mmCIF file of all heavy atoms in Angstrom:
data_model
loop_
_atom_site.group_PDB
_atom_site.id
_atom_site.type_symbol
_atom_site.label_atom_id
_atom_site.label_comp_id
_atom_site.label_asym_id
_atom_site.label_seq_id
_atom_site.Cartn_x
_atom_site.Cartn_y
_atom_site.Cartn_z
ATOM 1 N N PRO A 58 1.441 121.807 -190.442
ATOM 2 C CA PRO A 58 1.822 120.757 -189.504
ATOM 3 C C PRO A 58 1.055 119.458 -189.742
ATOM 4 O O PRO A 58 -0.022 119.463 -190.326
ATOM 5 C CB PRO A 58 1.418 121.356 -188.153
ATOM 6 C CG PRO A 58 0.261 122.259 -188.473
ATOM 7 C CD PRO A 58 0.513 122.783 -189.866
ATOM 8 N N LEU A 86 -18.086 110.420 -192.302
ATOM 9 C CA LEU A 86 -16.718 110.680 -191.831
ATOM 10 C C LEU A 86 -16.818 111.255 -190.432
ATOM 11 O O LEU A 86 -17.578 112.198 -190.193
ATOM 12 C CB LEU A 86 -16.038 111.740 -192.703
ATOM 13 C CG LEU A 86 -15.558 111.407 -194.108
ATOM 14 C CD1 LEU A 86 -14.869 112.643 -194.684
ATOM 15 C CD2 LEU A 86 -14.593 110.249 -194.079
ATOM 16 N N LEU A 87 -16.056 110.707 -189.493
ATOM 17 C CA LEU A 87 -15.983 111.291 -188.160
ATOM 18 C C LEU A 87 -14.932 112.392 -188.209
ATOM 19 O O LEU A 87 -13.752 112.103 -188.428
ATOM 20 C CB LEU A 87 -15.604 110.225 -187.131
ATOM 21 C CG LEU A 87 -16.663 109.226 -186.687
ATOM 22 C CD1 LEU A 87 -17.928 109.933 -186.242
ATOM 23 C CD2 LEU A 87 -16.992 108.216 -187.754
ATOM 24 N N THR A 88 -15.361 113.631 -188.037
ATOM 25 C CA THR A 88 -14.418 114.756 -188.073
ATOM 26 C C THR A 88 -14.839 115.820 -187.065
ATOM 27 O O THR A 88 -16.030 115.990 -186.789
ATOM 28 C CB THR A 88 -14.376 115.438 -189.464
ATOM 29 O OG1 THR A 88 -15.653 116.042 -189.722
ATOM 30 C CG2 THR A 88 -14.054 114.467 -190.578
ATOM 31 N N PRO A 89 -13.859 116.572 -186.520
ATOM 32 C CA PRO A 89 -14.200 117.628 -185.558
ATOM 33 C C PRO A 89 -15.101 118.712 -186.161
ATOM 34 O O PRO A 89 -15.819 119.381 -185.429
ATOM 35 C CB PRO A 89 -12.841 118.217 -185.175
ATOM 36 C CG PRO A 89 -11.837 117.167 -185.502
ATOM 37 C CD PRO A 89 -12.400 116.438 -186.686
ATOM 38 N N GLN A 90 -15.080 118.889 -187.481
ATOM 39 C CA GLN A 90 -15.899 119.942 -188.091
ATOM 40 C C GLN A 90 -17.265 119.451 -188.551
ATOM 41 O O GLN A 90 -17.980 120.177 -189.249
ATOM 42 C CB GLN A 90 -15.143 120.621 -189.247
ATOM 43 C CG GLN A 90 -14.824 119.734 -190.429
ATOM 44 C CD GLN A 90 -13.476 119.016 -190.279
ATOM 45 O OE1 GLN A 90 -12.929 118.949 -189.172
ATOM 46 N NE2 GLN A 90 -12.957 118.473 -191.348
ATOM 47 N N GLY A 91 -17.643 118.231 -188.139
ATOM 48 C CA GLY A 91 -18.909 117.654 -188.597
ATOM 49 C C GLY A 91 -20.141 118.173 -187.885
ATOM 50 O O GLY A 91 -20.059 118.964 -186.946
ATOM 51 N N ILE A 111 -16.273 106.142 -191.202
ATOM 52 C CA ILE A 111 -14.838 106.238 -191.483
ATOM 53 C C ILE A 111 -14.169 107.068 -190.392
ATOM 54 O O ILE A 111 -14.465 108.253 -190.221
ATOM 55 C CB ILE A 111 -14.579 106.857 -192.869
ATOM 56 C CG1 ILE A 111 -15.393 106.104 -193.941
ATOM 57 C CG2 ILE A 111 -13.083 106.832 -193.190
ATOM 58 C CD1 ILE A 111 -15.244 106.663 -195.351
ATOM 59 N N ALA A 112 -13.322 106.390 -189.610
ATOM 60 C CA ALA A 112 -12.640 107.042 -188.496
ATOM 61 C C ALA A 112 -11.237 107.427 -188.930
ATOM 62 O O ALA A 112 -10.500 106.598 -189.466
ATOM 63 C CB ALA A 112 -12.577 106.087 -187.297
ATOM 64 N N GLY A 113 -10.880 108.680 -188.702
ATOM 65 C CA GLY A 113 -9.571 109.148 -189.139
ATOM 66 C C GLY A 113 -8.577 109.290 -187.995
ATOM 67 O O GLY A 113 -8.934 109.280 -186.813
ATOM 68 N N ARG A 114 -7.334 109.404 -188.362
ATOM 69 C CA ARG A 114 -6.230 109.749 -187.453
ATOM 70 C C ARG A 114 -5.525 110.949 -188.066
ATOM 71 O O ARG A 114 -5.930 111.439 -189.116
ATOM 72 C CB ARG A 114 -5.264 108.573 -187.315
ATOM 73 C CG ARG A 114 -5.799 107.486 -186.411
ATOM 74 C CD ARG A 114 -5.424 107.767 -184.956
ATOM 75 N NE ARG A 114 -6.439 107.252 -184.024
ATOM 76 C CZ ARG A 114 -6.310 107.318 -182.708
ATOM 77 N NH1 ARG A 114 -5.220 107.857 -182.161
ATOM 78 N NH2 ARG A 114 -7.254 106.874 -181.922
ATOM 79 N N TYR A 115 -4.444 111.403 -187.476
ATOM 80 C CA TYR A 115 -3.652 112.523 -188.009
ATOM 81 C C TYR A 115 -4.485 113.806 -188.040
ATOM 82 O O TYR A 115 -5.463 113.926 -187.318
ATOM 83 C CB TYR A 115 -3.067 112.189 -189.388
ATOM 84 C CG TYR A 115 -2.514 110.790 -189.454
ATOM 85 C CD1 TYR A 115 -3.108 109.812 -190.239
ATOM 86 C CD2 TYR A 115 -1.420 110.429 -188.662
ATOM 87 C CE1 TYR A 115 -2.613 108.511 -190.265
ATOM 88 C CE2 TYR A 115 -0.923 109.131 -188.688
ATOM 89 C CZ TYR A 115 -1.529 108.180 -189.487
ATOM 90 O OH TYR A 115 -1.055 106.899 -189.499
ATOM 91 N N GLU A 116 -4.089 114.771 -188.871
ATOM 92 C CA GLU A 116 -4.754 116.080 -188.871
ATOM 93 C C GLU A 116 -6.071 116.101 -189.631
ATOM 94 O O GLU A 116 -6.812 117.079 -189.567
ATOM 95 C CB GLU A 116 -3.814 117.157 -189.429
ATOM 96 C CG GLU A 116 -2.636 117.484 -188.515
ATOM 97 C CD GLU A 116 -3.074 117.851 -187.110
ATOM 98 O OE1 GLU A 116 -3.812 118.831 -186.946
ATOM 99 O OE2 GLU A 116 -2.674 117.134 -186.167
ATOM 100 N N GLY A 117 -6.340 115.052 -190.361
ATOM 101 C CA GLY A 117 -7.605 115.015 -191.097
ATOM 102 C C GLY A 117 -7.510 114.208 -192.366
ATOM 103 O O GLY A 117 -6.510 113.532 -192.613
ATOM 104 N N PHE A 118 -8.605 114.260 -193.159
ATOM 105 C CA PHE A 118 -8.696 113.502 -194.408
ATOM 106 C C PHE A 118 -8.375 114.394 -195.595
ATOM 107 O O PHE A 118 -8.731 115.575 -195.594
ATOM 108 C CB PHE A 118 -10.132 113.009 -194.607
ATOM 109 C CG PHE A 118 -10.626 112.065 -193.556
ATOM 110 C CD1 PHE A 118 -11.408 112.517 -192.502
ATOM 111 C CD2 PHE A 118 -10.347 110.704 -193.627
ATOM 112 C CE1 PHE A 118 -11.900 111.644 -191.536
ATOM 113 C CE2 PHE A 118 -10.831 109.825 -192.670
ATOM 114 C CZ PHE A 118 -11.604 110.294 -191.622
ATOM 115 N N ILE A 131 -19.704 113.939 -189.181
ATOM 116 C CA ILE A 131 -20.304 114.038 -187.850
ATOM 117 C C ILE A 131 -19.201 114.207 -186.807
ATOM 118 O O ILE A 131 -18.151 113.572 -186.887
ATOM 119 C CB ILE A 131 -21.178 112.789 -187.550
ATOM 120 C CG1 ILE A 131 -22.384 112.750 -188.501
ATOM 121 C CG2 ILE A 131 -21.628 112.779 -186.093
ATOM 122 C CD1 ILE A 131 -23.291 111.551 -188.316
ATOM 123 N N SER A 132 -19.471 115.094 -185.836
ATOM 124 C CA SER A 132 -18.610 115.294 -184.668
ATOM 125 C C SER A 132 -19.422 114.898 -183.434
ATOM 126 O O SER A 132 -20.636 115.029 -183.427
ATOM 127 C CB SER A 132 -18.222 116.775 -184.575
ATOM 128 O OG SER A 132 -17.870 117.114 -183.242
ATOM 129 N N ILE A 133 -18.756 114.424 -182.389
ATOM 130 C CA ILE A 133 -19.520 114.109 -181.170
ATOM 131 C C ILE A 133 -19.442 115.220 -180.131
ATOM 132 O O ILE A 133 -19.984 115.077 -179.041
ATOM 133 C CB ILE A 133 -19.137 112.750 -180.534
ATOM 134 C CG1 ILE A 133 -17.684 112.739 -180.061
ATOM 135 C CG2 ILE A 133 -19.390 111.611 -181.507
ATOM 136 C CD1 ILE A 133 -17.424 111.636 -179.026
ATOM 137 N N GLY A 134 -18.809 116.340 -180.452
ATOM 138 C CA GLY A 134 -18.811 117.439 -179.495
ATOM 139 C C GLY A 134 -17.567 118.296 -179.635
ATOM 140 O O GLY A 134 -16.603 117.920 -180.293
ATOM 141 N N ASP A 135 -17.603 119.452 -178.984
ATOM 142 C CA ASP A 135 -16.530 120.426 -179.147
ATOM 143 C C ASP A 135 -15.409 120.226 -178.141
ATOM 144 O O ASP A 135 -15.266 120.985 -177.192
ATOM 145 C CB ASP A 135 -17.098 121.849 -179.059
ATOM 146 C CG ASP A 135 -18.012 122.163 -180.231
ATOM 147 O OD1 ASP A 135 -17.850 121.506 -181.294
ATOM 148 O OD2 ASP A 135 -18.885 123.036 -180.105
ATOM 149 N N TYR A 136 -14.642 119.176 -178.355
ATOM 150 C CA TYR A 136 -13.421 118.907 -177.601
ATOM 151 C C TYR A 136 -12.540 118.100 -178.532
ATOM 152 O O TYR A 136 -13.020 117.470 -179.461
ATOM 153 C CB TYR A 136 -13.713 118.114 -176.305
ATOM 154 C CG TYR A 136 -14.816 117.110 -176.460
ATOM 155 C CD1 TYR A 136 -14.555 115.852 -177.022
ATOM 156 C CD2 TYR A 136 -16.120 117.423 -176.119
ATOM 157 C CE1 TYR A 136 -15.575 114.944 -177.212
ATOM 158 C CE2 TYR A 136 -17.151 116.514 -176.308
ATOM 159 C CZ TYR A 136 -16.878 115.285 -176.846
ATOM 160 O OH TYR A 136 -17.894 114.391 -177.059
ATOM 161 N N VAL A 137 -11.243 118.150 -178.295
ATOM 162 C CA VAL A 137 -10.308 117.539 -179.243
ATOM 163 C C VAL A 137 -9.907 116.141 -178.774
ATOM 164 O O VAL A 137 -9.378 115.966 -177.676
ATOM 165 C CB VAL A 137 -9.058 118.419 -179.428
ATOM 166 C CG1 VAL A 137 -8.110 117.791 -180.446
ATOM 167 C CG2 VAL A 137 -9.450 119.825 -179.872
ATOM 168 N N LEU A 138 -10.164 115.141 -179.610
ATOM 169 C CA LEU A 138 -9.761 113.763 -179.345
ATOM 170 C C LEU A 138 -8.588 113.407 -180.251
ATOM 171 O O LEU A 138 -8.157 114.215 -181.062
ATOM 172 C CB LEU A 138 -10.949 112.831 -179.611
ATOM 173 C CG LEU A 138 -12.198 113.114 -178.764
ATOM 174 C CD1 LEU A 138 -13.380 112.302 -179.261
ATOM 175 C CD2 LEU A 138 -11.925 112.800 -177.303
ATOM 176 N N SER A 139 -8.088 112.186 -180.099
ATOM 177 C CA SER A 139 -6.902 111.787 -180.883
ATOM 178 C C SER A 139 -7.262 111.138 -182.206
ATOM 179 O O SER A 139 -6.385 110.806 -182.991
ATOM 180 C CB SER A 139 -6.054 110.806 -180.086
ATOM 181 O OG SER A 139 -6.037 111.160 -178.745
ATOM 182 N N GLY A 140 -8.549 110.880 -182.434
ATOM 183 C CA GLY A 140 -8.947 110.231 -183.670
ATOM 184 C C GLY A 140 -10.441 109.990 -183.678
ATOM 185 O O GLY A 140 -11.138 110.328 -182.719
ATOM 186 N N GLY A 141 -10.934 109.392 -184.737
ATOM 187 C CA GLY A 141 -12.371 109.179 -184.894
ATOM 188 C C GLY A 141 -12.888 107.869 -184.324
ATOM 189 O O GLY A 141 -14.090 107.600 -184.397
ATOM 190 N N GLU A 142 -12.004 107.072 -183.734
ATOM 191 C CA GLU A 142 -12.460 105.746 -183.275
ATOM 192 C C GLU A 142 -13.437 105.836 -182.104
ATOM 193 O O GLU A 142 -14.503 105.203 -182.134
ATOM 194 C CB GLU A 142 -11.271 104.861 -182.876
ATOM 195 C CG GLU A 142 -10.430 104.380 -184.052
ATOM 196 C CD GLU A 142 -9.452 105.433 -184.553
ATOM 197 O OE1 GLU A 142 -9.248 106.461 -183.859
ATOM 198 O OE2 GLU A 142 -8.895 105.229 -185.648
ATOM 199 N N LEU A 143 -13.073 106.582 -181.063
ATOM 200 C CA LEU A 143 -14.000 106.700 -179.929
ATOM 201 C C LEU A 143 -15.323 107.332 -180.375
ATOM 202 O O LEU A 143 -16.385 106.830 -180.003
ATOM 203 C CB LEU A 143 -13.353 107.466 -178.768
ATOM 204 C CG LEU A 143 -12.267 106.699 -178.010
ATOM 205 C CD1 LEU A 143 -11.507 107.614 -177.067
ATOM 206 C CD2 LEU A 143 -12.864 105.526 -177.241
ATOM 207 N N PRO A 144 -15.291 108.409 -181.186
ATOM 208 C CA PRO A 144 -16.558 108.927 -181.698
ATOM 209 C C PRO A 144 -17.381 107.877 -182.455
ATOM 210 O O PRO A 144 -18.605 107.808 -182.292
ATOM 211 C CB PRO A 144 -16.115 110.069 -182.625
ATOM 212 C CG PRO A 144 -14.861 110.572 -181.992
ATOM 213 C CD PRO A 144 -14.167 109.341 -181.486
ATOM 214 N N ALA A 145 -16.736 107.035 -183.254
ATOM 215 C CA ALA A 145 -17.481 105.983 -183.972
ATOM 216 C C ALA A 145 -18.135 105.035 -182.976
ATOM 217 O O ALA A 145 -19.298 104.641 -183.140
ATOM 218 C CB ALA A 145 -16.553 105.220 -184.913
HETATM 219 C C1 9D3 B 301 -5.418 121.472 -185.631
HETATM 220 C C2 9D3 B 301 -6.849 121.361 -185.770
HETATM 221 N N1 9D3 B 301 -7.424 120.147 -185.176
HETATM 222 C C3 9D3 B 301 -8.900 120.240 -185.320
HETATM 223 C C4 9D3 B 301 -9.558 120.668 -184.062
HETATM 224 C C5 9D3 B 301 -6.929 118.983 -185.871
HETATM 225 C C6 9D3 B 301 -7.507 117.717 -185.418
HETATM 226 C C7 9D3 B 301 -7.582 117.373 -184.077
HETATM 227 C C8 9D3 B 301 -8.095 116.133 -183.679
HETATM 228 C C9 9D3 B 301 -7.943 116.802 -186.355
HETATM 229 C C10 9D3 B 301 -8.439 115.576 -185.959
HETATM 230 C C11 9D3 B 301 -8.518 115.255 -184.635
HETATM 231 C C12 9D3 B 301 -9.012 113.928 -184.214
HETATM 232 N N2 9D3 B 301 -10.455 113.974 -183.874
HETATM 233 C C13 9D3 B 301 -11.351 113.327 -184.595
HETATM 234 O O1 9D3 B 301 -10.992 112.642 -185.536
HETATM 235 C C14 9D3 B 301 -12.757 113.459 -184.246
HETATM 236 C C15 9D3 B 301 -13.420 114.174 -183.213
HETATM 237 C C16 9D3 B 301 -12.942 115.008 -182.161
HETATM 238 O O2 9D3 B 301 -11.744 115.258 -181.961
HETATM 239 N N3 9D3 B 301 -13.869 115.576 -181.323
HETATM 240 C C17 9D3 B 301 -15.203 115.360 -181.453
HETATM 241 N N4 9D3 B 301 -15.696 114.598 -182.426
HETATM 242 C C18 9D3 B 301 -14.796 114.015 -183.280
HETATM 243 S S1 9D3 B 301 -15.224 113.032 -184.552
HETATM 244 C C19 9D3 B 301 -13.679 112.780 -185.028
#
Side-chain angles (χ1 to χ4, degrees):
L86 286 183
L87 284 308
T88 65
Q90 64 271 16
I111 308 178
R114 283 272 149 177
Y115 317 112
E116 290 306 299
F118 297 98
I131 294 179
S132 157
I133 63 160
D135 293 336
Y136 36 82
V137 182
L138 301 170
S139 322
E142 289 80 12
L143 288 169

